[in-house]
Amino acid sequence: MAQAFQSVQAIGALAAVQAGAGAQFAAVTASTRPAAPRQEARSDGGIFGAFDIFGMCTSGAAVKPAEAAAAQAKRSEQVLYLRLCLHSATNLASADVASLSDPYVDVKFQNKEHKTKVIDNSLNPVWEDLWETEFRDGSSNELLLTVYDKDTLSANDPLGNVTIKVPFEPSKVKREVLQLSNVPGGWFSKRPDSRLTILYQVTDSLQNQPDLVAMAQRARDADDMEPKTYNLSITVYKIHMLKKKPNVSGMVKVTLGSGPSAVTHNSTATAVDERSRTIRIGNRVQGWTPEPFLLEDKTIEDLMMLRLKVEGLLSHTAAEKLGEQVKASERVGEEIKKEKAEGKKDRQHKRHKRLLQRKKKRDVAELPVQSLGVWEESLDEFHDHITETKTPWAARALLHDIQHNQLTGEVFVQIDMWSPADEESHEPLDMETMEENKELRKSKGSHAGLGRGAPTTYYLYAYADFLPTVDEPIFGFGRRMDKHTACDPFVRLTVAGGGAKPQRVTSATVSDRQREVMWDVMTFTLPANAKRTRLLVELYDNDSVSLISLEELIGQVQLFNLPLNRRQWYHLYGGGLRAPRDDYALAMIKGGVQPASTYRGSLCLSIDQKRVPNKKGWPPLVTLAAHPLRLRVRLYRGLYLFDMRGTDLGDTEVTVLIQVAGCELHPTNPWGEPIDEDPRKVKEGDKGAVVRQVIPDKMLKQLPEGNPDILAFPGKVDQDGVLRLYPWNRTAKQMERDKKNKRVDKTALGVDTEQPTAWVERTTPVLRVLPDVKYAYVYIQEKGQEGKLPRIFGRLELIDAPTRNRDEEGPDGGEQASPQATKPGERRRPNPDWVKLHFDQSVVRLPEARYPSDFAGCLLGSAQFIPPPFVPKKRTTTSTVPSEAGAGGQKETRIDMPFGETQPPSSPP
């Protein structure tokens, strides 16, 4: 047994030497080492965890009462924290007779109580309330959530409750939609299917945690998006220490995970695992790029939880040399064993013994690896930047010493992220050139100086376009308001969270304007390096009359990452305009009911730290910021459309309409390009250039009014609920009229126009497409219901949608190039996807069912943006050719024709 103990001591000493010296980094090769398993306290007195040779000789059944009591006391002293986000509720009961309920949530947990704010007159409230409290073991871990209706003159009425058990251990963020119990029933209706949406997390620290409200919004926006597999590549260029020390070299440690112990990098691409390995490199290696991380089946919520950690380390040069000697000693020992096994003489025994003696004389503990500082950021930051710019994320990551709260150095890193199924890795950036030109940003990450320092003043620029028609004439009688004047918009900015002082700033109202609306600059302040600060930008229509203040919410945007010094477009969605169920329409705007069904305008925001009188690129007019593209949609068929299915008398004739935010159909010229009727064009001296200013009120009526239904697919739904499309190039109403007039030739198209086909593909003329449009909305309209709001809608994800303004400057300072035109057949066609069709709850009630759902069917199709047709510019060239009449020559004019044309058009483009 003594020999065994000496062997274990030798193993422990060798492991200590390797931990102190072998953890240093080679100059050429990056070494990988598995993370040490967490040692659990054993009840049988073992101290070596899974490798305890003494524990194997004793029985594990015997538990010492003193050790058990000590472990229980240590657990009872441990303090965790519960983070709870009460997001929203849907389909609550109406407890008031004359109006809807005024709901709020009462939370009870471990003798502590919390209440949310009251939402007046709503059955689908959105609270977005965040509560953080201590969580101790020993008390009850049940979380009781009760929804009440606030009453002034009587006791508050309960609308339902739910109880969940929270385990006493750190966990990731969980998002749950809970069904309420004890829901009261109406007098003449059954109990509604009331549900409560929450997010909660148990953590050991409240510092550097993700924003639960932001996670709720990101998860809501990506409900229809499937999890993807990503590759994450990190390139470390160099490390710079602010204070250099003699005989000390800098190193970098890269870690990926969801917590302090979650190490998630392997030497090869493997799935993320909390027991995976780390990789360290030395500062002498320039441009070190390990194998990419492999992130399998990750959602936006997962990316917000995963964090990339870059740690700067300091090591003494003597320790590095000692580590090399230890490695040499180990190598010699292996050679000796090999020679002994082969029966050879031990020629290197003396040398090996001398190295071992030298190793024992040195005290490795005096030369530890010290932490220089840490930089940390969540993966959604890189995902958003790379998705928007199509370029890697590059920065100078500032290392922060958390203990002393000071900056200690910086690491030059470049990060690329891509989904192998959809795209390839992006072209790397030239870090040296960016550093010389001072174009490399400084990133403080999520640690540095949280909320410290003097407050910073910011300036918000706001611009809107394509606002909906929300006003009607006071004395209607069939009258219609003037074009583009049926709205009186204003913007309200609310700052909350993250230690920021609550602020509310409201702009002036712009009267009678739906197009090209621009407000004065709004000012607000934030703490220095504030994290988890939310900016709520709400767009209202002012309906105030005299002393009565009335306002109608058009749409809203929540900002968690400030769009500093750049123009960012946000497309507003909500319920149907003038929908009969306005409570659901408002819940769709605020995110309580998803997805939203109706486009309500676009908002462009930009935030600067300096107020500039003439901001460059502002206002972002659609004629300058939008891209000239075409939309190609291919639809196959729909299933389970039982609400529209035909009867024995015949099938149900329907029309599938396609809409895209900010896109309208306008008259076109012979080249398929929209006829620009912009009255601001300068006729003389500027060759028709558009002036960068909003159109005056007196010229507003001259703007063209387009059709938002950019594509139409006639079809029919049979008795089985199957939707099939007709191969018609005209609408069903036009085809029916042509049939009566006997103008339809069934053989003209080579197909029978009476019978549906397997799939139908249609392409729009050239459209003006705004940046950051994600979906093409699909509406199914029954024949004879054209003047009413559609009851069924869905969303097709747009492929190859633009992400930047067309007139935005690129990294080189020049204007960003427009999408290049291609010839037919050069662009990859996307694979069709099944998309879910929803009932618009702002228009109709859900069908009666045991488990109500907004599922209305599914549709197979795809939508893709393609460049304009390949049309070379029309040019006239003059050349001189020999004349048959004499030695002189004659001038000949040649016209280069557009692609596909055989004769010159009547007028130039």
Side-chain angles (χ1 to χ4, degrees), residues 18 246 271 301 309 367 407 432 532-533 551 640 714 750 790 863 865:
Q18 293 177 351
E301 293 175 285
K309 180 180 178 181
L367 302 173
L407 297 177
E432 295 182 359
R532 293 162 56 183
T533 302
E551 56 190 30
Y640 311 119
F865 279 120

Side-chain angles (χ1 to χ4, degrees), residues 15-161:
V17 173
Q18 293 177 351
Q24 316 307 321
F25 312 128
V28 179
T29 307
S31 62
T32 60
R33 189 179 310 278
R38 187 172 61 180
Q39 306 298 326
E40 300 289 347
R42 295 177 57 91
S43 60
D44 55 358
I47 59 174
F48 292 98
F51 301 99
D52 183 12
I53 60 175
F54 302 104
M56 294 186 293
C57 302
T58 60
S59 174
V63 180
K64 295 183 179 181
E67 293 186 358
Q72 182 63 27
K74 184 177 180 181
R75 181 178 175 88
S76 61
E77 294 177 357
Q78 183 182 7
V79 179
L80 298 180
Y81 299 91
L82 172 65
R83 306 181 65 236
L84 174 66
C85 174
L86 300 161
H87 184 262
S88 59
T90 57
N91 204 21
L92 296 178
S94 180
D96 297 335
V97 178
S99 63
L100 304 179
S101 299
D102 305 321
Y104 71 93
V105 182
D106 180 81
V107 185
K108 293 182 179 179
F109 180 71
Q110 291 191 345
N111 299 325
K112 294 184 285 292
E113 188 174 6
H114 172 73
K115 296 181 180 180
T116 68
K117 63 181 179 180
V118 178
I119 305 297
D120 296 330
N121 198 30
S122 176
L123 301 182
N124 301 277
V126 179
W127 295 285
E128 292 184 341
D129 184 90
L130 182 63
W131 183 49
E132 298 175 337
T133 183
E134 288 187 357
F135 185 10
R136 295 182 179 272
D137 191 25
S139 303
S140 174
N141 60 347
E142 290 188 349
L143 180 66
L144 176 61
L145 307 171
T146 307
V147 183
Y148 287 96
D149 171 45
K150 179 69 175 179
D151 291 329
T152 304
L153 303 178
S154 61
N156 299 333
D157 301 322
L159 303 179
N161 58 66

Side-chain angles (χ1 to χ4, degrees), residues 264-542:
T264 57
H265 193 288
N266 288 334
S267 58
T268 58
T270 57
V272 170
D273 187 357
E274 293 191 357
R275 293 190 300 255
S276 57
R277 275 93 50 190
T278 60
I279 288 184
R280 303 176 178 182
I281 65 167
N283 65 325
R284 295 185 296 273
V285 179
Q286 302 297 324
W288 170 74
T289 305
E291 293 294 329
F293 294 97
L294 180 62
L295 312 175
E296 294 183 344
D297 299 332
K298 298 301 176 184
T299 61
I300 296 297
E301 293 175 285
D302 297 330
L303 296 182
M304 297 183 71
M305 286 296 301
L306 289 173
R307 294 180 175 272
L308 181 68
K309 180 180 178 181
V310 177
E311 183 178 4
L313 300 174
L314 296 177
S315 66
H316 291 263
T317 308
E320 295 182 358
K321 293 181 179 180
L322 181 60
E324 296 177 0
Q325 295 174 1
V326 172
K327 291 182 179 180
S329 175
E330 295 175 354
R331 186 169 59 253
V332 172
E334 293 177 358
E335 294 177 357
I336 293 174
K337 292 180 181 180
K338 184 177 180 181
E339 292 179 358
K340 285 184 177 181
E342 296 177 356
K344 298 181 180 180
K345 295 181 180 180
D346 187 4
R347 300 177 181 177
Q348 299 180 346
H349 177 68
K350 294 182 180 180
R351 181 186 175 190
H352 176 59
K353 184 177 181 180
R354 185 170 61 253
L355 290 175
L356 290 178
Q357 290 176 354
R358 185 184 302 173
K359 178 187 65 175
K360 293 179 181 179
K361 292 180 181 179
R362 302 298 298 267
D363 188 1
V364 181
E366 295 179 357
L367 302 173
V369 177
Q370 300 177 355
S371 176
L372 176 64
V374 176
W375 175 88
E376 187 174 349
E377 191 59 85
S378 58
L379 295 193
D380 64 304
E381 173 75 16
F382 315 129
H383 176 269
D384 294 345
H385 172 85
I386 296 172
T387 302
E388 177 185 348
T389 63
K390 303 300 180 182
T391 58
W393 187 94
R396 297 159 57 187
L398 302 182
L399 301 178
H400 182 251
D401 186 355
I402 303 176
Q403 183 177 1
H404 300 91
N405 191 25
Q406 62 182 1
L407 297 177
T408 56
E410 57 186 7
V411 179
F412 291 69
V413 295
Q414 183 173 164
I415 300 170
D416 192 13
M417 190 174 183
W418 71 96
S419 178
D422 301 332
E423 57 184 345
E424 298 180 352
S425 60
H426 302 88
E427 186 71 21
L429 301 175
D430 189 351
M431 298 284 287
E432 295 182 359
T433 304
M434 295 179 66
E435 183 181 1
E436 292 177 359
N437 299 334
K438 297 182 180 181
E439 297 176 352
L440 204 58
R441 77 180 79 181
K442 291 183 180 181
S443 175
K444 298 181 180 180
S446 54
H447 277 299
L450 300 182
R452 301 192 180 187
T456 305
T457 302
Y458 294 92
Y459 301 93
L460 174 66
Y461 296 80
Y463 172 87
D465 210 336
F466 300 106
L467 298 185
T469 301
V470 292
D471 292 339
E472 294 181 351
I474 300 178
F475 304 101
F477 303 109
R479 296 178 55 191
R480 185 188 178 198
M481 298 187 68
D482 294 334
K483 191 168 55 174
H484 307 309
T485 61
C487 188
D488 305 308
F490 69 91
V491 174
R492 178 174 296 157
L493 171 65
T494 305
V495 182
K501 180 181 178 181
Q503 303 168 63
R504 174 170 289 186
V505 184
T506 303
S507 70
T509 300
V510 180
S511 302
D512 303 330
R513 199 174 183 92
Q514 295 175 252
R515 296 292 312 275
E516 300 185 4
V517 185
M518 186 172 65
W519 295 272
D520 293 336
V521 182
M522 291 182 284
T523 306
F524 64 97
T525 59
L526 291 179
N529 306 320
K531 292 291 182 180
R532 293 162 56 183
T533 302
R534 300 190 298 272
L535 270 65
L536 176 63
V537 182
E538 298 171 298
L539 181 61
Y540 285 92
D541 172 54
N542 193 348

Side-chain angles (χ1 to χ4, degrees), residues 163-191:
T163 302
I164 60 175
K165 291 187 177 181
V166 183
F168 186 76
E169 59 183 7
S171 62
K172 297 181 179 180
V173 178
K174 298 180 180 179
R175 177 174 178 262
E176 295 188 11
V177 181
L178 307 173
Q179 186 175 17
L180 299 181
S181 304
N182 304 320
V183 178
W187 291 98
F188 303 102
S189 62
K190 67 176 186 178
R191 292 181 175 85

Side-chain angles (χ1 to χ4, degrees), residues 389 627 803-810 812 814-818:
T389 63
H627 295 262
T803 58
R804 301 181 65 182
N805 295 279
R806 184 167 60 95
D807 59 341
E808 191 172 10
E809 289 188 351
D812 56 351
E815 185 175 310
Q816 183 186 9
S818 301

